[in-house]
Amino acid sequence: MKKILTVLLAAGMLLGAASGASAIDFKAKGQWLMGFGVGDKNLMSHYRNRAGEKIKKNTSDTFNATQRIRLQLEAVASESLSGTVQFQIGNQPWGKADKGAALGADGANQIGVRQAYIDWMVPQTDLKVRMGLHEVILPNKAGGTAVMDAPVAGVVASYQFNENLGLTALWMRPFNDNYSQETKNSDGTSRVWGSDPDNYLDNMDLFGLMVPVTLDGFEITPWAMYGMKGKNTDKFNAYKNGFADGNPYYTLAPYAGLNGYPGNLGGTGKAYGSMFWAGLPFAITAWDPLNIEVDINYGYVESMGRYTAWKGGYNDVPMASKRSSTERQGWLAKALVEYKMDWGVPGIFGWYGSGDDGNPKNGSERMPSIAPYGNFTSFLGDGGPYSWGGAGGNDMGALSYAGTWGIGLQIRDMSFVEDLKHTFRVAYWGGTNSTSAVKYMATSYAWDDGRGNYDGPYLTTNDGLLEFNLVNEYKMYENFNVYLDLGYVANFMDNDTWKKAGQRNTSFEKQDMWKAQLVFGYSF
C-alpha cells in the first residue's frame, strides 16, 4: 500500500510540474555563421625595432576559416515577465585545437554565456525593467555608437509616457573584482605589483539617462552617462603587466604608444575617478525619400595618476621630459545624408573627432569610450550585415573614430537581380592628432599599437587611409544568406612624420590592406 501511495504521489508531483511548465511559452532563436576569408589586415610589412632588428609584421595566415554559433532561449510567462539566455560557441578557427576545432573537435570551454537576463514590469504600471547580462547599445545614429555596444551586467528601466516621449535609466557594472597584486614579468614569471588587497577599489560603475523623443518625421534621443572607476579597475588585465592604475583599455586613457606610458605611471591618492559622456543623436525622415542622421558626442575621463612622457634621447636617457596627465576628454560628430531610389540608396557620410594637441602635460584630447562600434565601413569598421572579427580572420571589427576625420560616398542596397543586393563605399580617413605628439611616441610604428583594441591607427594631420568596400548579399532561402565582402585600404601613413618618434632609431615599411571574405549565415 505504501508503495502504491508513493507512486501516486510521485505521479501527482510530475503532473503538477508539467501543468506549471505548460504555462511557460518557450521561444528559440539562433544564428550559425561560417566564414572563409583571404587577405592581409596589416598596415606594415616590416619594422625595425630599437635593437636594430628587422621584424616581419604580416605573419598571419592569408587564408582562414572560422565559425560562430549563437543560441538564444526565451521563457515567456506573460507579457509582464520573461527570462532570456543566450549561448555562444566560438569564434572557432578551423583546425585550432584550443578552440575545439582541431581533429576530433572536442576542445573544452568553447560554450559561453553571452546574455542572461529577465524582463519584468512593475505591477499596475508601464514601467519595464531588464536586469542581468544583456547587450547595451547607447543611443546613436550615423555610423554606429561612438561610446558603447557590448553585453554588460546591469539594470535598465524604461517608461513610455506616450507615443512621443519616453525615459530610460540604466546602471551597468563592466568591471569588478578583477584586480590582483600578482602580475607577470616580461619573461612570464610572477611578481607582486601593488600593495592593495586583491579586488580592492577595482569596480567601474556607469549610470545613464536617455530621453527618446519621436515626432512625425523626426527622432532625437538626448542622453548622458556618469561613471566612476576605482584606481585598480581592470589593472591586471588592461596592459597585461599591471601598468594601468585606473586606466583600462586603449579607449579610456592616453595613447599607449607614448614613451613612458603606461610603464612608469605613478600612483594616485584618489580612490575613484569620474567619467562622463553625453550624446545628441537625431534623424530627420520628414522629407522622405531623403534621410538625414546626425550624432554628436562628448566624453571625459578624470586623471588617475601621472606619468613622465619623454622625447628623443640616447640609450633610453630622455633628451627632454614632461610630467603628463592621464586625463582624456574630447568630442566627435558624425553625419549621414542619403536618398532612397528604386534601384538603391546613394548617400554621403562623414565624421570629425577632436585630436591630441601634442602636449601630454594637459592629457589627451581624443574622445574616450567604453566599447565603440563604428560601422560606416566594413573593413576598418563593422558595417556589414554579417561583419564580425572572426569572419575569415580579416575583419577589424569594433572601432573608435577618436582622433580622426573622414568623408565617404556610398550606394547601399543596389539590386538588379531578385534576392541579390550590393553596397559600395569609398571613404578617406584623415587624422586630427598633432604631428607634435609623435616625438613623445616610443617608436616610429607606435601608430599601429591601438588597432584591434577598440581603436584604429593613430593618425596625425599628415597621415591618411583610403578605404574601399564592396558588400554583396544573396538571400538563398528565407533564413539563409550568403555574404561576400571585398575590401581594400590604401596606406598613406607619413614616414617623414613618424621617423621623429622616440630616439629616431626605428622605422617601418608600410603596405596596403586587402580582404575577400565569404560568410554563410543561417538565422531562425
Side-chain angles (χ1 to χ4, degrees):
M1 187 66 177
K2 288 183 179 180
K3 291 182 179 180
I4 295 175
L5 290 174
T6 301
V7 171
L8 291 174
L9 180 60
M13 292 175 66
L14 289 173
L15 288 173
S19 176
S22 65
I24 304 298
D25 182 17
F26 287 92
K27 298 180 180 179
K29 296 180 182 179
Q31 183 186 68
W32 277 258
L33 297 181
M34 306 288 168
F36 307 88
V38 293
D40 191 339
K41 63 178 181 180
N42 289 290
L43 288 167
M44 287 186 289
S45 61
H46 297 80
Y47 64 90
R48 190 173 298 277
N49 63 19
R50 298 166 79 175
E53 302 167 321
K54 188 175 182 180
I55 299 174
K56 185 176 176 61
K57 177 67 173 179
N58 55 337
T59 57
S60 301
D61 294 339
T62 302
F63 171 78
N64 287 280
T66 312
Q67 69 180 52
R68 186 188 76 191
I69 301 172
R70 287 179 180 172
L71 298 173
Q72 180 171 311
L73 181 64
E74 184 178 2
V76 182
S78 67
E79 293 183 355
S80 302
L81 177 63
S82 67
T84 301
V85 61
Q86 183 185 82
F87 302 98
Q88 177 167 308
I89 305 174
N91 301 321
Q92 292 180 287
W94 287 9
K96 194 169 180 62
D98 63 0
K99 297 296 183 179
L103 182 66
D106 56 356
N109 302 321
Q110 289 308 299
I111 301 177
V113 178
R114 188 172 182 271
Q115 299 188 69
Y117 59 88
I118 57 173
D119 288 315
W120 55 279
M121 296 180 64
V122 177
Q124 312 304 318
T125 74
D126 292 327
L127 179 62
K128 298 179 180 179
V129 180
R130 173 172 292 183
M131 54 177 54
L133 293 170
H134 54 94
E135 191 164 23
V136 173
I137 305 174
L138 291 177
N140 68 88
K141 296 289 184 183
T145 175
V147 180
M148 182 171 178
D149 177 354
V152 66
V155 179
V156 177
S158 58
Y159 189 87
Q160 194 69 31
F161 295 100
N162 51 51
E163 63 180 7
N164 303 119
L165 179 65
L167 178 66
T168 299
L170 63 85
W171 162 60
M172 298 180 288
R173 174 161 277 190
F175 304 104
N176 188 41
D177 288 350
N178 299 304
Y179 170 69
S180 171
Q181 292 186 59
E182 183 180 355
T183 186
K184 300 292 184 182
N185 294 308
S186 58
D187 60 0
T189 59
S190 298
R191 65 187 173 101
V192 174
W193 170 260
S195 58
D196 289 332
D198 289 354
N199 304 330
Y200 177 69
L201 294 178
D202 63 351
N203 62 295
M204 177 190 290
D205 290 280
L206 302 169
F207 307 89
L209 198 64
M210 290 146 265
V211 184
V213 178
T214 304
L215 303 174
D216 188 18
F218 181 73
E219 297 178 2
I220 187 169
T221 306
W223 65 272
M225 183 170 70
Y226 171 78
M228 51 184 290
K229 63 184 178 73
K231 68 173 185 175
N232 295 319
T233 297
D234 202 36
K235 186 174 180 179
F236 177 74
N237 293 321
Y239 292 98
K240 299 181 181 178
N241 289 321
F243 292 139
D245 189 344
N247 290 273
Y249 290 111
Y250 284 80
T251 57
L252 284 176
Y255 191 66
L258 289 166
N259 252 322
Y261 181 79
N264 64 2
L265 179 60
T268 176
K270 302 173 184 176
Y272 287 93
S274 295
M275 304 181 292
F276 177 78
W277 285 271
L280 190 65
F282 63 88
I284 303 173
T285 58
W287 304 313
D288 186 67
L290 181 68
N291 176 52
I292 300 174
E293 297 181 6
V294 177
D295 194 0
I296 303 171
N297 294 275
Y298 167 81
Y300 163 80
V301 176
E302 182 180 358
S303 175
M304 292 288 284
R306 303 184 69 84
Y307 69 99
T308 301
W310 58 272
K311 61 179 181 179
Y314 181 73
N315 286 341
D316 292 332
V317 178
M319 178 178 69
S321 62
K322 283 190 177 183
R323 192 68 175 150
S324 302
S325 171
T326 55
E327 177 184 296
R328 180 166 170 174
Q329 66 172 324
W331 59 275
L332 175 68
K334 304 185 270 93
L336 167 69
V337 179
E338 56 185 5
Y339 192 88
K340 298 177 183 177
M341 304 183 75
D342 292 338
W343 52 271
V345 186
I348 182 171
F349 58 88
W351 70 92
Y352 190 95
S354 59
D356 289 339
D357 61 7
N359 179 14
K361 186 176 181 179
N362 60 16
S364 172
E365 287 74 35
R366 301 163 74 228
M367 195 189 81
S369 54
I370 303 294
Y373 249 86
N375 61 16
F376 273 134
T377 62
S378 64
F379 198 171
L380 290 173
D382 196 66
Y386 294 136
S387 185
W388 105 92
N394 291 315
D395 248 15
M396 294 305 302
L399 176 72
S400 162
Y401 292 112
T404 69
W405 68 272
I407 187 167
L409 298 173
Q410 71 176 24
I411 304 176
R412 68 174 178 87
D413 296 339
M414 291 183 290
S415 183
F416 309 103
V417 178
E418 186 178 2
D419 296 327
L420 177 63
K421 60 183 180 180
H422 317 271
T423 295
F424 175 76
R425 304 184 188 94
V426 56
Y428 180 81
W429 297 68
T432 60
N433 300 296
S434 171
T435 56
S436 299
V438 172
K439 61 179 174 285
Y440 295 104
M441 297 293 178
T443 65
S444 64
Y445 47 87
W447 54 268
D448 199 45
D449 288 353
R451 195 166 55 91
N453 294 280
Y454 284 106
D455 209 354
Y458 189 95
L459 303 180
T460 72
T461 53
N462 288 347
D463 300 315
L465 302 169
L466 183 61
E467 179 175 0
F468 300 89
N469 304 149
L470 178 59
V471 180
N472 309 275
E473 186 176 2
Y474 175 57
K475 185 177 181 180
M476 185 177 295
Y477 300 113
E478 182 65 28
N479 301 95
F480 187 67
N481 289 2
V482 181
Y483 162 81
L484 174 65
D485 185 2
L486 307 175
Y488 191 90
V489 177
N491 188 344
F492 300 110
M493 297 299 297
D494 189 64
N495 275 286
D496 289 337
T497 296
W498 283 93
K499 70 182 181 182
K500 299 174 183 178
Q503 301 181 59
R504 303 190 178 190
N505 60 349
T506 60
S507 63
F508 67 90
E509 297 176 15
K510 63 185 177 183
Q511 66 176 27
D512 297 343
M513 296 197 308
W514 63 276
K515 73 165 183 176
Q517 59 189 37
L518 183 65
V519 179
F520 297 85
Y522 168 48
S523 304
F524 68 91

